[in-house]
Amino acid sequence: QKEEEKKPHIKKPLNAFMLYMKEMRAQVVAECTLKESAAINQILGRRWHSLPREEQAKYYELARKERQLHSQLYPTWSARDNY
């Protein structure tokens, strides 16, 4: 049981929307003067949905690369390991 506690927590690879949020959060915070995370997330969500497919495709490609890298680094990892 103690050995399991010592294992480092491996996070899931980020999806396309999370990568978009990570990149755009600072810009939205600077524009809006809002401090509440939930309000900022709502704005980011609306912006994500209004993006053209070509723009979203860039983030989907980044997410695909991140998933590939994650599976190379942690070949036996499963999302169930975190629960």
Side-chain angles (χ1 to χ4, degrees):
Q1 197 175 28
K2 295 223 176 197
E3 287 177 23
E4 280 185 27
E5 291 173 19
K6 290 181 183 176
K7 284 199 302 190
H9 178 76
I10 299 170
K11 292 183 177 182
K12 285 172 68 170
L14 296 177
N15 64 26
F17 177 61
M18 291 299 175
L19 290 167
Y20 172 77
M21 281 181 62
K22 190 175 176 182
E23 187 177 299
M24 302 302 287
R25 179 175 291 280
Q27 181 182 334
V28 170
V29 169
E31 287 174 7
C32 299
T33 69
L34 290 169
K35 298 291 182 229
E36 301 86 31
S37 182
I40 292 165
N41 290 348
Q42 280 185 330
I43 293 166
L44 285 164
R46 279 192 230 111
R47 288 187 182 186
W48 172 254
H49 287 293
S50 68
L51 276 182
R53 291 270 181 228
E54 301 80 36
E55 194 72 19
Q56 285 184 359
K58 175 178 94 172
Y59 295 99
Y60 282 110
E61 182 60 26
L62 285 171
R64 188 184 65 75
K65 287 178 183 174
E66 190 157 313
R67 273 195 315 276
Q68 280 182 330
L69 177 63
H70 190 274
S71 64
Q72 288 173 357
L73 291 173
Y74 313 106
T76 60
W77 182 86
S78 160
R80 291 183 179 192
D81 295 344
N82 291 339
Y83 300 101

